[in-house]
Amino acid sequence: MLPYQTLEEAASALGRNLTFAETLWFNYSASKSDYVLYLHNILFLFVIFSVVPLPLVFAEVLRWAGLDRYKIQPKVRLPFSDMLKCYKDVMRMFILIVGPLQLVSYPSVQQIIGIRTGLPLPSGWEMLCQLLVYFLVEDYTNYWIHRFLHNKWGYEKIHRVHHEYTAPIGFAAPYAHWAEILILGIPSFLGPAMVPGHMVTFWSWIALRQVEAIETHSGYDFPWTPTKYIPFYGGAEYHDYHHYVGGQSQSNFASVFTYCDFIYGTDKGFRYQKKILKKLKEESNAVQNGGSYNNSTVDLKSD
């Protein structure tokens, strides 16, 4: 809770007038405890899990011609009943695991991370730098946990639940075994623990990470998505391959960026597939354009 009773008192303590954003923050948060502000994450997660995948649901059910060509696995079509079941399963896990965990975790989170709620608000540059650290730390940690979950025991006991969707959909991003939800929740707090920030930054981090997860599980590779311009970003096509290969997959473990897969050699299958598909497309275009077709066979074994 802010230690100021009025805007004038806050401005006097800062030695300057409050910015427009700080004024909004004061008016909203001044009478709310830090615990209540932290619990906003429950609302944010519920809205994101419920609303963000909806355009993808409409695209899947209505089969919009303009979007069909961007579907990564066009032969796989889930009926609305299956998508609704997935959403219900996610919400049940949200109510039983995620929500209660948020309710009881604040004391330890505040002690370990030290999220501040006061004034001044962080600058845009400060937030951007902190969010980058959070993404990089989470991504590296998630890579190794995800890779562990693909060993025989981890997959059969825990991770196989998430892989029930070999052609992922937006609602399936948080669809997982309860143990996986707990385990993979740890990396989300490591970045903020290393570089503590403001509650607004923490909210932004939780929201952006979930939106990113929904995008990578969307099943559509849209050319206009802004994430195409982020260096080393994986995206939907990259993660879709991981689900397509399934339980035996030892490829594309990255949650956000691709550098770990490249460094540790766990993207070879994906890169080989891309090379083969590119070659087949070039040969197909050559035939359509009246060129000669190369009858040499293509070795589909991964190098």
Side-chain angles (χ1 to χ4, degrees):
M1 183 176 294
L2 294 179
Y4 316 116
Q5 298 300 317
T6 65
L7 286 171
E8 291 74 18
E9 186 180 345
S12 176
L14 293 178
R16 59 171 174 79
N17 292 328
L18 274 64
T19 66
F20 177 72
E22 288 172 337
T23 301
L24 290 178
W25 178 252
F26 179 90
N27 291 332
Y28 183 76
S29 67
S31 60
K32 296 179 177 64
S33 68
D34 292 356
Y35 179 63
V36 170
L37 292 173
Y38 176 76
L39 293 185
H40 280 48
N41 284 316
I42 297 178
L43 175 61
F44 295 153
L45 290 173
F46 173 76
V47 171
I48 289 169
F49 289 159
S50 302
V51 175
V52 174
L54 286 181
L56 303 169
V57 172
F58 295 144
E60 189 79 3
V61 174
L62 301 177
R63 300 191 179 185
W64 291 331
L67 299 181
D68 260 4
R69 56 179 172 165
Y70 302 121
K71 187 168 174 58
I72 301 170
Q73 297 187 46
K75 294 183 179 180
V76 181
R77 290 287 181 179
L78 289 180
F80 178 75
S81 58
D82 285 358
M83 290 187 281
L84 182 60
K85 179 182 181 301
C86 178
Y87 174 72
K88 289 179 178 179
D89 290 340
V90 167
M91 284 298 106
R92 181 169 63 252
M93 201 63 65
F94 181 83
I95 293 171
L96 296 177
I97 302 295
V98 178
L101 185 63
Q102 292 283 324
L103 289 172
V104 302
S105 64
Y106 179 72
S108 58
V109 169
Q110 180 63 12
Q111 184 176 4
I112 296 173
I113 300 177
I115 304 172
R116 68 181 183 90
T117 60
L119 295 173
L121 289 180
S123 66
W125 178 248
E126 179 183 344
M127 286 185 64
L128 181 63
C129 290
Q130 289 176 335
L131 288 172
L132 178 60
V133 171
Y134 298 171
F135 270 106
L136 289 174
V137 171
E138 193 276 345
D139 185 69
Y140 187 82
T141 313
N142 187 292
Y143 171 87
W144 289 107
I145 296 177
H146 190 185
R147 191 168 174 176
F148 166 77
L149 290 175
H150 269 268
N151 66 31
K152 183 177 177 60
W153 181 90
Y155 188 84
E156 291 181 355
K157 299 296 184 181
I158 301 175
H159 195 51
R160 63 174 179 80
V161 175
H162 183 66
H163 275 269
E164 289 176 10
Y165 291 89
T166 56
I169 58 174
F171 279 141
Y175 179 83
H177 191 281
W178 65 267
E180 180 170 345
I181 293 175
L182 294 178
I183 295 170
L184 291 181
I186 296 173
S188 298
F189 292 93
L190 289 180
M194 294 172 62
V195 184
H198 197 276
M199 184 67 75
V200 172
T201 307
F202 189 72
W203 285 352
S204 302
W205 157 239
I206 295 298
L208 288 173
R209 179 63 182 90
Q210 302 312 313
V211 171
E212 181 276 330
I214 291 171
E215 185 203 354
T216 56
H217 288 82
S218 67
Y220 289 83
D221 185 28
F222 299 121
W224 56 76
T225 176
T227 53
K228 292 282 187 182
Y229 300 98
I230 299 177
F232 306 109
Y233 184 79
E237 183 186 23
Y238 191 85
H239 193 69
D240 200 279
Y241 175 83
H242 177 81
H243 277 261
Y244 175 76
V245 177
Q248 302 304 314
S249 173
Q250 291 298 315
S251 184
N252 295 23
F253 294 115
S255 61
V256 183
F257 303 107
T258 62
Y259 67 95
C260 280
D261 282 312
F262 180 78
I263 292 173
Y264 300 113
T266 48
D267 65 347
K268 292 181 179 179
F270 175 72
R271 287 190 285 121
Y272 183 78
Q273 184 202 53
K274 292 277 289 184
K275 181 175 68 175
I276 294 300
L277 292 177
K278 180 180 179 181
K279 182 176 180 180
L280 292 175
K281 184 177 180 179
E282 290 174 350
E283 292 178 343
S284 175
N285 290 337
V287 171
Q288 293 177 3
N289 293 331
S292 59
Y293 180 78
N294 185 354
N295 288 319
S296 61
T297 58
V298 178
D299 181 11
L300 293 178
K301 295 181 180 179
S302 177
D303 49 2

